[in-house]
Amino acid sequence: MRRLILLLLLPLALCVNAANTTNCRCFPGDPCWPLPQEWTDFNTTLGGKLISTVPLGSVCHTKGDFSAYNEHACANLIADWEFPATHYRTCTSPMASWFSNFSCDPFMPRDSPCTMTAIQPYAVNVSGVQDVRKTLQFAKDHNIRLVIRNTGHDYLGKSTAPGGLALWMHHLKGAQYLHHTSESYSGLALRLGAGIQGFEGMAAAHAQNKVILTGNCESVGIAGGYSQGGGHGQLASRFGLGADQVLEWEVVTAAGQHLIVSPEKYSDLYWALSGGGGGTFAVVMSVTVKAHPEVSTASATLTFSGACVSTETFWNIVRTFVVDIAPLVDAGAVAIWAVIGKSFGLTPISWPAGTVDQLHNGLASTLTLLDQSKIKYAYNIQQFPTFWDSYCAMNPHSNITEAQVGGRLIPRSVLESDPASLMKTLRGISEMGVVVSGVSLNVSRSPVPYNAVNPAWRDAAISIVLGTGFNYTDREENVRCQSLLTDVLVPRLTAISPDSGAYLNEADWNQPDWQSTFYGSNYPALEEIKQKFDPDEVFYARTAVGSETWSEQSDGRLCRV
């Protein structure tokens, strides 16, 4: 009888296993995973552009399939770890170390195993449309998780795919200066390959005595998640967000179509790509953005410590700064500031078309309080002939963020009508040992651009980002810090801004209501466009539109919910 029951259950078990395989992307070790020869054949069709991943930290380990211990190389890697180039020159290493999950960490003991469980085993070094088409087809034929990667600047793990295949767009470096004419815009523009980074795009614009909007961190890619997710920077109060600059997207769709997408052609896809988030609607090959005339720029930096005064005095000065710069921001300035303990840094405030006298007057109330409190401070203010000169002189080089982040867009109404609640909240968070950083800006230009940028941006006075510590050797500590963001810190910001949202590129990857928080009222329309252009859900990225139909398992396997 028992044998009969087992025989009856066997077909059921086979059906369940088949269903599990069908509902999940194929994973290394599964029977469906391509054989070595199939990967070799695929590489041949690509002309040798397939890269087999060797984890960056392999030189620091003596055990594991990828161990390649080299004491000198390991020491150099650890010394250079904080520099973005260490990571963006590779096709796999995430700058947010949470997403490498200690799988081959150079900071772990050298006898800990070097594995590749948290990152994609293969990447394609894309040089053109055909590379993308062939990779899309291979991924679909073998049901493999696909991810789009450029630099690895990514707080939410969107460009990391355990057991997957990456389209590495980093070497698409073309830049073309042109005159763009369309129904919505007539003027000068730059067409930038998907791999162009901020410092490269700005240099190309400056060569023509123009400026384009880029991020504060000069090594962030322009065409990827930055512009597709909104994108702010020191020119945002003058020209709008990164998504507002886009005139055309050159893309390859999930079906392999090569399209030029604009407000006039494929307008729905243009709308979604311009602010609806990266990695989910199509593969961007290039972007055409507005090029603006250069302009004289006033810029200032300010740092001080409140170590020798009361906490009340310190935070009163911070409040004065945050509130009193609002007129400068409305006039076109952007301020980048942070509070770390009882230290404050403004790095910098930039005002294109503003003057030193105007900028100094706007900061006078803060400086007066510092003088009255007998607080020593470092203050540097200059007039520059161009924004480029200001950016090069005053903008500090940005290293990777060795922290876990969460954020919130603070509406203008909070700053204007209830600054006490805002500062009380920020102070309480700071006193828990958390970094509080802000970008004060105004992108509420009229008319509102035709794009999918979260509507909360148009009412925002400050983009707040919080940072909790990251420990390279203690996973439990990182889990605790991540939970603190999700369960305590971000909810405090939400409580004072319940109708706002968050910048989807600088937010908590574990945000529970991410659809409304990151995309606002645009989410239903974005879902429809996702289904129209990617009905088979070839593209997946964490917290991207449509990602809720998938779940990442503990081993990294991606399965349908």
Side-chain angles (χ1 to χ4, degrees):
M1 183 65 177
R2 182 181 179 186
R3 177 177 174 80
L4 177 61
I5 292 173
L6 290 174
L7 289 173
L8 289 173
L9 289 175
L10 181 59
L12 178 60
L14 291 174
C15 289
V16 170
N17 288 337
N20 286 339
T21 301
T22 302
N23 288 333
C24 298
R25 293 295 187 211
C26 190
F27 203 71
D30 289 346
C32 58
W33 188 252
L35 297 172
Q37 186 59 50
E38 291 177 290
W39 286 107
T40 298
D41 293 343
F42 176 46
N43 188 32
T44 300
T45 68
L46 293 168
K49 297 170 188 170
L50 182 68
I51 301 171
S52 181
T53 297
V54 176
L56 196 58
S58 62
V59 295
C60 295
H61 294 271
T62 59
K63 294 182 180 179
D65 294 339
F66 296 92
S67 61
Y69 183 74
N70 181 305
E71 182 178 4
H72 180 70
C74 179
N76 286 340
L77 177 63
I78 290 173
D80 293 342
W81 191 260
E82 67 177 16
F83 302 130
T86 300
H87 306 275
Y88 68 64
R89 288 171 181 162
T90 77
C91 59
T92 55
S93 183
M95 292 192 199
S97 289
W98 173 276
F99 298 103
S100 64
N101 196 23
F102 293 93
S103 58
C104 192
D105 193 325
F107 299 93
M108 294 293 284
R110 68 182 184 183
D111 59 353
S112 62
C114 176
T115 65
M116 196 174 53
T117 56
I119 56 179
Q120 52 271 12
Y122 291 97
V124 174
N125 187 8
V126 174
S127 63
V129 169
Q130 289 305 315
D131 296 335
V132 175
R133 284 174 167 161
K134 291 172 183 177
T135 304
L136 286 169
Q137 192 59 54
F138 186 84
K140 287 188 282 188
D141 289 345
H142 296 279
N143 190 30
I144 296 173
R145 178 177 177 177
L146 185 69
V147 70
I148 304 168
R149 175 189 167 92
N150 180 13
T151 64
H153 278 284
D154 179 9
Y155 293 128
L156 287 86
K158 290 184 175 184
S159 59
T160 303
L165 174 61
L167 285 162
W168 192 28
M169 315 301 291
H170 184 61
H171 291 113
L172 295 176
K173 294 291 191 180
Q176 180 185 0
Y177 184 66
L178 52 88
H179 188 94
H180 181 89
T181 302
S182 67
E183 294 177 14
S184 56
Y185 177 84
S186 180
L188 301 173
L190 270 177
R191 181 176 295 130
L192 305 171
I196 288 285
Q197 293 165 266
F199 65 91
E200 296 166 322
M202 288 189 66
H206 179 67
Q208 302 293 333
N209 198 34
K210 304 296 178 188
V211 292
I212 60 172
L213 192 80
T214 63
N216 302 320
C217 177
E218 70 279 0
S219 59
V220 168
I222 297 174
Y226 172 74
S227 292
Q228 292 177 57
H232 63 60
Q234 293 173 41
L235 290 167
S237 292
R238 182 171 175 85
F239 299 126
L241 296 169
D244 301 339
Q245 312 306 306
V246 176
L247 300 168
E248 288 182 347
W249 299 99
E250 179 194 6
V251 305
V252 178
T253 68
Q257 294 177 289
H258 181 207
L259 305 177
I260 303 298
V261 176
S262 70
E264 295 77 34
K265 295 183 293 185
Y266 306 101
S267 60
D268 53 352
L269 183 55
Y270 168 87
W271 179 84
L273 285 166
S274 305
T280 192
F281 297 106
V283 181
V284 171
M285 304 298 296
S286 72
V287 63
T288 301
V289 298
K290 299 173 185 177
H292 304 280
E294 263 289 12
V295 62
S296 177
T297 299
S299 187
T301 59
L302 172 67
T303 58
F304 62 87
S305 171
C308 297
V309 297
S310 69
T311 302
E312 196 70 32
T313 297
F314 174 77
W315 278 97
N316 184 45
I317 297 171
V318 174
R319 171 181 168 166
T320 298
F321 166 80
V322 171
V323 173
D324 287 2
I325 64 166
L328 305 183
V329 169
D330 291 345
V334 171
I336 303 161
W337 53 271
V339 177
I340 305 175
K342 288 184 71 173
S343 294
F344 175 87
L346 171 64
T347 55
I349 181 169
S350 297
W351 189 355
T355 68
V356 162
D357 288 342
Q358 291 171 320
L359 181 56
H360 181 77
N361 289 339
L363 296 171
S365 58
T366 301
L367 299 173
T368 297
L369 282 179
L370 287 168
D371 289 333
Q372 291 174 349
S373 303
K374 294 181 171 50
I375 296 176
K376 293 182 179 180
Y377 56 89
Y379 176 54
N380 178 24
I381 185 167
Q382 294 186 54
Q383 188 78 43
F384 295 91
T386 66
F387 174 77
W388 167 263
D389 292 315
S390 169
Y391 186 89
C392 292
M394 303 294 270
N395 192 62
H397 290 293
S398 299
N399 289 332
I400 65 171
T401 302
E402 294 179 312
Q404 300 178 83
V405 305
R408 191 75 179 174
L409 297 172
I410 304 301
R412 176 170 297 274
S413 59
V414 173
L415 185 64
E416 292 177 342
S417 63
D418 196 10
S421 292
L422 172 61
M423 301 315 295
K424 180 181 178 181
T425 300
L426 296 183
R427 174 177 171 177
I429 290 172
S430 175
E431 289 175 350
M432 297 175 70
V434 177
V435 174
V436 175
S437 64
V439 177
S440 296
L441 75 178
N442 183 344
V443 294
S444 61
R445 59 195 59 256
S446 182
V448 175
Y450 174 73
N451 58 39
V453 165
N454 188 339
W457 268 113
R458 307 307 177 183
D459 299 322
I462 314 171
S463 176
I464 293 289
V465 176
L466 308 177
T468 60
F470 184 86
N471 190 313
Y472 283 106
T473 60
D474 189 339
R475 181 71 171 178
E476 291 183 3
E477 174 65 10
N478 293 333
V479 170
R480 186 193 69 79
C481 288
Q482 173 60 51
S483 297
L484 180 66
L485 275 170
T486 304
D487 301 334
V488 178
L489 304 179
V490 173
R492 288 190 183 184
L493 294 177
T494 303
I496 62 171
S497 58
D499 298 322
S500 188
Y503 178 24
L504 62 83
N505 286 334
E506 295 180 351
D508 177 10
W509 64 267
N510 204 32
Q511 178 76 37
D513 53 349
W514 57 266
Q515 292 93 333
S516 58
T517 300
F518 295 171
Y519 304 95
S521 58
N522 291 331
Y523 196 77
L526 289 167
E527 278 191 301
E528 291 184 11
I529 296 167
K530 167 72 171 175
Q531 284 302 307
K532 176 180 177 180
F533 286 94
D534 186 18
D536 297 325
E537 298 178 336
V538 174
F539 303 121
Y540 168 86
R542 294 179 183 90
T543 71
V545 172
S547 62
E548 64 267 47
T549 62
W550 296 89
S551 175
E552 193 168 307
Q553 309 302 302
S554 59
D555 62 356
R557 187 187 301 268
L558 193 63
C559 298
R560 291 189 183 275
V561 176

